Amino acid sequence: MTTDLKANKIIESNHLSDKSSIYVPMVATIKEIIPLTTTEKQFYIQIDNLKERENFNFLPGQFVELTVFGVGEAPFSIPSSPSNKEFFELCVRNVGSVSGALHNMSTGDKVGIRGPFGKGYFPFEKMQGNNVVIIAGGLGMAPVRSLLLKILEEREKYKGLTLIYGCVDPQNILYKNEILKLKNRDDIDIKLTVDRPDDNWKEAVGVCTNLIPELKYEPKETYIVVCGPPVMYKFVIIELNEKKYHPEKVFLSLERRMECGVGKCNHCHIGNKLSCVDGPVFSLWEIMNLKEAI
Ligand SMILES: Cc1cc2nc3c(=O)[nH]c(=O)nc-3n(C[C@H](O)[C@H](O)[C@H](O)COP(=O)(O)OP(=O)(O)OC[C@H]3O[C@@H](n4cnc5c(N)ncnc54)[C@H](O)[C@@H]3O)c2cc1C
C-alpha cells in the first residue's frame, strides 16, 4: 500500500469507524509532566484501554480534544512522533480553564481523549525526495514538531531540511535543549530568532520572516510548512511569494476556535471550510482565495 493510501486509511478509520462514539472520550493517564517554559508544559499521555491505544493512529498536524473531567474540553495538537505507539505528547500553554486545570494535574491523573482529528495533515510522504522548510512561531512549534521528528527518523528520504523558529525571547523557546542538540547535526539547518534577546543570545534578532530570504532551495523541489500566531501568516506568505515558492507546496496549520472537532458545531469555519474536519492543515493553494483564512 502506498503511504498516501495508508494516510487516507488512518483518517477514514478515525472519522468513520465508530460514529456512535464521536463525543465519548477515551480514558487516558498522564504518565509524565515536564515544564518547558513558565507557561507551557509537556504532558505524556497514555490511553488506558489497550485496544483503543492500538487503534490510535495519528498523522503529523492532527490534534486531539482533551477533557479535564468536570472542567471542560479543548483541542491540542500532537507534537510527538506518530511512530511512538505507547503514548503521545501534548504541549499545553496555560491560558484558561481547561489548560489551567491541566497544568495543576499530576502524574497518574486521568483525562479524556477524543480523536485524533483533522483531515488535513502535513503530507510527509509527498515531501520525500524534496527539501523541507519548517517555519514556526512561538507555540506553533508544537504541531510542526511531529513532522520534524518524523522526517528526522527517515532523514535519508528527504533532501535539505531547514527549521526557522521565532520566539519572543530566549526563555520562550519550546524544546530548547532538543533544538540546540539538533544544531550540532549537519543534515539540518536551524535558524533561530527572538524579538527580545538576552546578553547570551548569539542567533538572529527580529521576526522569523526576516530569515526567509536566506533560503536557497529551488521552489520546484521544496515544501514549506508554517505554524504560528495568526499575525505571522500574512507576512510569511508575502516572503514565500517573493521567493516564488509554489502555493500547492506550502502547508499552513490554521487553528480556529473549535468545539466539537468533528464538523458538527460549525464554530471553526473558514469560508466554506471547517478547520476541524477539512484542516487544521491546509495548502496555501486551497485557501488563498478564502478571505477569512489569513
Ligand atoms: C486545532 C487546534 C490545535 C491547538 N493546539 C494547541 C496546542 O498544541 N497547545 C496549546 O496550548 N493550545 C493549542 N490550541 C489552543 C487551545 O485549544 C486553546 O488555547 C484553548 O482555548 C485552551 O482552552 P482553555 O479552556 O484553557 O482556555 P479558555 O478558558 O477557553 O480560553 C482562554 C482564553 O483564550 C481565548 N481563546 C480560546 N480559544 C481560542 C482560539 N481558538 N483562538 C483565539 N483565542 C482563543 C479565550 O477567549 C480566552 O481569552 C489549539 C487549538 C486548535 C483549534
Side-chain angles (χ1 to χ4, degrees):
M1 198 185 318
T2 66
T3 40
D4 248 354
L5 276 175
K6 265 192 228 159
N8 283 337
K9 271 208 150 342
I10 289 175
I11 289 162
E12 240 171 64
S13 67
N14 288 334
H15 283 274
L16 302 174
S17 62
D18 187 4
K19 278 190 176 163
S20 61
S21 65
I22 53 174
Y23 295 118
V24 180
M26 297 175 280
V27 177
T29 304
I30 301 174
K31 292 302 224 185
E32 200 180 347
I33 305 172
I34 297 178
L36 293 177
T37 68
T38 51
T39 45
E40 280 95 7
K41 283 184 181 174
Q42 175 95 333
F43 294 85
Y44 291 78
I45 311 276
Q46 186 174 59
I47 293 166
D48 287 2
N49 181 290
L50 187 61
K51 193 158 178 282
E52 287 176 341
R53 194 188 311 157
E54 283 168 359
N55 289 337
F56 184 86
N57 294 306
F58 70 93
L59 297 162
Q62 288 192 301
F63 67 97
V64 291
E65 289 278 352
L66 178 141
T67 301
V68 176
F69 297 113
V71 180
E73 190 180 44
F76 298 104
S77 303
I78 311 171
S80 47
S81 165
S83 311
N84 192 338
K85 301 287 174 204
E86 274 302 294
F87 58 83
F88 63 92
E89 299 165 30
L90 296 178
C91 166
V92 177
R93 177 174 286 174
N94 184 352
V95 293
S97 51
V98 174
S99 55
L102 192 60
H103 269 243
N104 286 329
M105 292 176 89
S106 310
T107 303
D109 284 348
K110 301 287 179 192
V111 290
I113 296 292
R114 291 193 299 124
F117 293 133
K119 184 157 87 51
Y121 65 101
F122 301 123
F124 55 92
E125 63 290 318
K126 284 201 185 100
M127 296 174 182
Q128 289 172 3
N130 291 274
N131 306 302
V132 180
V133 180
I134 297 174
I135 304 172
L139 188 54
M141 188 63 209
V144 299
R145 179 170 170 263
S146 178
L147 174 72
L148 178 64
L149 295 177
K150 178 80 188 153
I151 292 176
L152 289 172
E153 282 167 12
E154 304 178 309
R155 183 64 191 89
E156 69 290 350
K157 294 188 178 165
Y158 301 82
K159 287 189 171 168
L161 176 60
T162 297
L163 169 68
I164 297 177
Y165 183 27
C167 282
V168 174
D169 56 42
Q171 289 70 42
N172 281 312
I173 297 177
L174 296 171
Y175 309 104
K176 196 173 185 173
N177 292 339
E178 186 177 297
I179 291 172
L180 292 179
K181 227 161 134 193
L182 286 177
K183 266 183 96 62
N184 297 325
R185 286 174 65 147
D186 56 11
D187 59 355
I188 175 165
D189 176 24
I190 305 225
K191 299 177 191 294
L192 298 176
T193 184
V194 296
D195 299 343
R196 294 197 296 261
D198 59 18
D199 292 345
N200 300 321
W201 186 249
K202 300 206 169 35
E203 310 285 329
V205 175
V207 290
C208 59
T209 35
N210 294 348
L211 301 174
I212 296 174
E214 291 178 17
L215 293 172
K216 301 271 184 293
Y217 301 132
E218 276 293 313
K220 69 172 187 307
E221 52 180 29
T222 303
Y223 279 84
I224 316 257
V225 160
V226 188
C227 189
V231 63
M232 188 180 115
Y233 290 81
K234 188 171 153 204
F235 298 103
V236 166
I237 290 166
I238 291 171
E239 290 297 333
L240 294 177
N241 284 340
E242 196 70 26
K243 303 277 291 180
K244 307 269 181 287
Y245 285 116
H246 299 178
E248 68 277 18
K249 291 185 175 170
V250 175
F251 289 86
L252 312 103
S253 181
L254 299 185
E255 292 175 7
R256 287 293 185 270
R257 229 202 140 97
M258 213 175 260
E259 301 277 324
C260 71
V262 290
K264 304 283 182 206
C265 75
N266 257 355
H267 275 85
C268 63
H269 69 89
I270 305 170
N272 60 356
K273 298 195 183 291
L274 291 172
S275 172
C276 67
V277 287
D278 298 318
V281 176
F282 296 92
S283 75
L284 179 56
W285 180 254
E286 273 178 282
I287 53 144
M288 58 200 293
N289 295 319
L290 286 181
K291 256 206 312 227
E292 299 148 59
I294 308 291

